[in-house]
Amino acid sequence: DAGVIQSPRHEVTEMGQEVTLRCKPISGHNSLFWYRQTMMRGLELLIYFNNNVPIDDSGMPEDRFSAKMPNASFSTLKIQPSEPRDSAVYFCASSLRAGEETQYFGPGTRLLVL
Amino acid sequence: AQSVTQLDSHVSVSEGTPVLLRCNYSSSYSPSLFWYVQHPNKGLQLLLKYTSAATLVKGINGFEAEFKKSETSFHLTKPSAHMSDAAEYFCVVSNQGGKLIFGQGTELSVKP
């Protein structure tokens, strides 16, 4: 298996632009998680899905952030408009099923907003 | 509520010497605990997982961790450090809904 796939791996954009991060979970996994990692705040869970349905988005920082999972093999995290404080590494992870605790992480997308 | 505290933000050892990365947890029920490793510019990789079976858990790359309920600890150890072990290590506890709560991380440096 190829593992969790994220794209792009690096993104540099200017403040105010829309940013879309993409994730393909491991085939057969039914839960998907989006995390953000910064030096100041460490790893934070932003949102997670079970069977393509958003379950908990309490970690989404504000309305500029949105996430979708249109099918079992694809999810997006969108920031519109982006701000310099959104600069971070964004990780996607998947697990086999709801409540299954072992999560498998993608390589991350390193976002820099100028 | 569940939480984890990694007691050291940075640990430095010499190659070939033992590694000890300390983690204390807080949980209102019998927790599931994990150690993940993150090499520079990489994603997180699962090292090992405790789920109330054996208290001594063996993981990949020679790492192991011991669950001690009386001390609410889950320290990570390795008998002999290798240069390739240099990375950031995260102690993690899971809540009942399957959400992971991460510690702040311990950066391990290995000197030749």
Side-chain angles (χ1 to χ4, degrees):
Chain A
D1 197 315
V4 176
I5 298 172
Q6 292 187 246
S7 64
R9 293 294 308 277
H10 302 273
E11 177 83 21
V12 181
T13 191
E14 292 188 344
M15 183 173 64
Q17 296 297 306
E18 177 179 295
V19 175
T20 299
L21 311 181
R22 297 173 177 80
C23 176
K24 177 178 168 57
I26 292 173
S27 177
H29 281 194
N30 295 317
S31 296
L32 183 141
F33 305 79
W34 282 102
Y35 291 87
R36 179 172 66 176
Q37 184 179 38
T38 61
M39 289 291 292
M40 292 297 295
R41 301 172 68 95
L43 267 160
E44 305 172 276
L45 177 65
L46 299 178
I47 185 172
Y48 77 97
F49 297 82
N50 282 338
N51 296 315
N52 313 338
V53 176
I55 301 300
D56 184 346
D57 65 354
S58 59
M60 296 286 261
E62 48 198 275
D63 291 345
R64 298 184 297 106
F65 285 70
S66 62
K68 294 182 179 180
M69 192 165 186
N71 57 62
S73 59
F74 183 66
S75 177
T76 60
L77 177 68
K78 187 174 293 186
I79 309 172
Q80 166 63 17
S82 58
E83 297 182 3
R85 61 193 168 118
D86 302 330
S87 300
V89 182
Y90 291 81
F91 288 102
C92 177
S94 69
S95 65
L96 195 57
R97 56 186 174 270
E100 167 61 39
E101 297 150 334
T102 302
Q103 295 181 18
Y104 298 87
F105 284 75
T109 295
R110 188 173 297 273
L111 174 65
L112 178 61
V113 183
L114 302 173
Chain B
Q2 289 71 44
S3 67
V4 287
T5 302
Q6 293 184 242
L7 301 172
D8 307 291
S9 59
H10 187 252
V11 170
S12 181
V13 301
S14 297
E15 190 174 21
T17 64
V19 175
L20 170 64
L21 305 183
R22 299 182 295 165
C23 172
N24 285 2
Y25 70 90
S26 172
S27 179
S28 54
Y29 61 93
S30 184
S32 291
L33 293 159
F34 309 77
W35 277 97
Y36 279 84
V37 60
Q38 184 179 25
H39 287 92
N41 300 315
K42 302 283 188 184
L44 284 82
Q45 180 184 17
L46 180 67
L47 268 181
L48 49 82
K49 172 182 175 180
Y50 166 77
T51 54
S52 75
T55 56
L56 183 63
V57 183
K58 293 188 183 299
I60 62 172
N61 302 334
F63 284 93
E64 61 183 37
E66 186 171 9
F67 174 74
K68 291 187 177 180
K69 186 175 180 179
S70 61
E71 299 176 9
T72 61
S73 69
F74 190 58
H75 301 335
L76 182 71
T77 60
K78 183 174 181 177
S80 176
H82 192 272
M83 295 296 291
S84 60
D85 294 328
E88 184 134 23
Y89 292 79
F90 293 92
C91 183
V92 184
V93 66
S94 172
N95 72 8
Q96 288 179 305
K99 289 172 65 173
L100 299 184
I101 295 125
F102 285 79
Q104 284 299 102
T106 297
E107 184 180 352
L108 175 66
S109 300
V110 182
K111 297 175 289 186

